[in-house]
Amino acid sequence: MSSMIRWHRPGLSEWPDLGRLTDLRDEIERLFEAPLGELARTSQLLSGWTPALDVYEDKDAYTIRAELAGMKKEDIEVSLHDGCVTLAGERRPDDTLKDAEVCRSERFFGRFQRTVTLPGPVAVDKVKAHYQDGILTVTLPKTEEAKPKQIEVSVN
Amino acid sequence: MKPTTQKESSPARPTREYISPDVNIYETSEGYVLQAEMPGVNKQGLEITLENNEITLVGHRQAPAVAGEALFRESRAADYRRVFELDPAIDTEKVVARMDQGVLTLTLPKSERVKPRRIKVD
């Protein structure tokens, strides 16, 4: 018998606890009321934690922004390899609440990893990452050669 | 403690679009702890209102726009909003809110009279 659930590495993502059965009705109501965009996020149930990610480009740099609420700075890893940037990390639940009764559990805890292929070369030694208000911003300055240049042509 | 449906809160229903933040709610003998994920929102962008046993959480995104053209975008610009109906046992005078790295933590203590206590047998 074949299973239709996508294979994932054990331990990489945990199936979220749906809480008490009575909450299930609330959850269904929430799904029906949610805008369509919100529904797409339920795919997280199958793939683990997929933080929203944006990539921007201006003439000097590429900027990657990821929504990573409630992490510790030291639990975020940013790495560069072969023209790709990988953002990874682990979010841990609050230890002080481990004995509390869970009434509702929608937040994801565990590991995430996302990789972006950069459209052009970057100056590896000038990459900066900044984490504030639950948003990770990675600035990747372009190499001098990759920046657009204006060539002046004098016409006589 | 449970979220109210949009119908119940229709008088206050805003005309603009909001995102419903993901929440975790825990219950202890002391009270409830609610965590709501609102990346991009800081203390200044938070609006919490208590009315008729309902608590409304609104988070306005404060993060500045990134310069340049978006090549790829998954995040949404809409603000966050969600309404919860409070357990009558909660002492609304003592609700504490804290914002840390885009996660709002609300501590909602139960009033003294409903807390479990040990009764001494003479």
Side-chain angles (χ1 to χ4, degrees):
Chain A
M1 206 177 97
S2 63
S3 159
M4 287 190 65
I5 296 169
R6 202 204 295 184
W7 181 87
H8 61 264
R9 209 187 309 166
L12 197 67
S13 63
E14 280 163 37
W15 194 269
D17 176 12
L18 285 173
R20 294 190 305 213
L21 196 64
T22 48
D23 288 343
L24 200 59
R25 200 196 61 188
D26 294 345
E27 202 56 46
I28 290 164
E29 276 176 8
R30 196 164 93 90
L31 284 176
F32 276 107
E33 280 165 6
L36 215 62
E38 197 100 331
L39 285 177
R41 299 193 44 208
T42 49
S43 63
Q44 285 200 171
L45 285 171
L46 294 176
S47 60
W49 184 21
T50 315
L53 197 139
D54 301 340
V55 183
Y56 297 88
E57 177 183 10
D58 71 357
K59 64 183 195 343
D60 298 318
Y62 299 105
T63 307
I64 300 174
R65 267 168 53 113
E67 295 191 338
L68 300 170
M71 300 225 7
K72 290 194 181 73
K73 241 183 225 172
E74 56 271 26
D75 290 338
I76 302 174
E77 303 145 32
V78 179
S79 54
L80 273 127
H81 47 94
D82 305 330
C84 295
V85 183
T86 297
L87 312 180
E90 183 169 1
R91 183 161 65 187
R92 298 187 179 95
D94 193 339
D95 263 354
T96 57
L97 291 164
K98 67 174 188 292
D99 296 325
E101 190 195 339
V102 179
C103 305
R104 183 166 281 272
S105 179
E106 299 168 355
R107 301 184 62 208
F108 185 88
F109 293 102
R111 273 195 76 80
F112 77 92
Q113 183 174 319
R114 296 211 62 181
T115 300
V116 177
T117 306
L118 292 167
V122 295
V124 177
D125 50 334
K126 289 183 188 139
V127 174
K128 281 196 178 71
H130 178 67
Y131 183 53
Q132 195 191 344
D133 299 334
I135 305 257
L136 174 71
T137 309
V138 185
T139 314
L140 307 115
K142 294 179 182 175
T143 53
E144 286 305 318
E145 303 84 73
K147 284 184 191 172
K149 279 182 197 74
Q150 198 149 19
I151 298 159
E152 284 197 29
V153 182
S154 56
V155 183
N156 289 322
Chain B
M1 201 167 127
K2 58 174 196 222
T4 61
T5 60
Q6 286 292 333
K7 255 181 240 104
E8 288 171 58
S9 56
S10 57
R13 193 174 179 173
T15 47
R16 52 179 300 185
E17 198 200 335
Y18 286 100
I19 300 174
S20 178
D22 286 340
V23 302
N24 272 18
I25 300 172
Y26 302 93
E27 186 183 355
T28 65
S29 55
E30 294 293 306
Y32 293 90
V33 176
L34 183 151
Q35 301 170 334
E37 274 190 31
M38 303 184 187
V41 176
N42 59 21
K43 221 168 103 180
Q44 285 73 38
L46 210 57
E47 236 176 80
I48 305 169
T49 40
L50 262 161
E51 202 185 348
N52 301 331
N53 233 35
E54 268 187 10
I55 193 163
T56 307
L57 315 177
V58 176
H60 304 286
R61 289 176 195 263
Q62 305 284 301
V66 177
E69 176 200 355
L71 300 180
F72 182 67
R73 181 151 192 193
E74 293 171 349
S75 74
R76 292 162 67 198
D79 288 340
Y80 302 91
R81 183 178 189 274
R82 203 158 170 190
V83 184
F84 293 90
E85 191 185 315
L86 295 179
D87 181 338
I90 291 168
D91 186 347
T92 52
E93 299 289 310
K94 290 187 181 144
V95 176
V96 177
R98 203 181 70 226
M99 196 70 187
D100 185 31
Q101 290 292 10
V103 176
L104 165 71
T105 305
L106 280 181
T107 312
L108 308 123
K110 289 179 189 166
S111 63
E112 289 302 326
R113 73 191 158 79
V114 297
K115 273 186 197 167
R117 69 191 75 186
R118 189 180 287 273
I119 300 191
K120 223 172 127 188
V121 181
D122 292 323

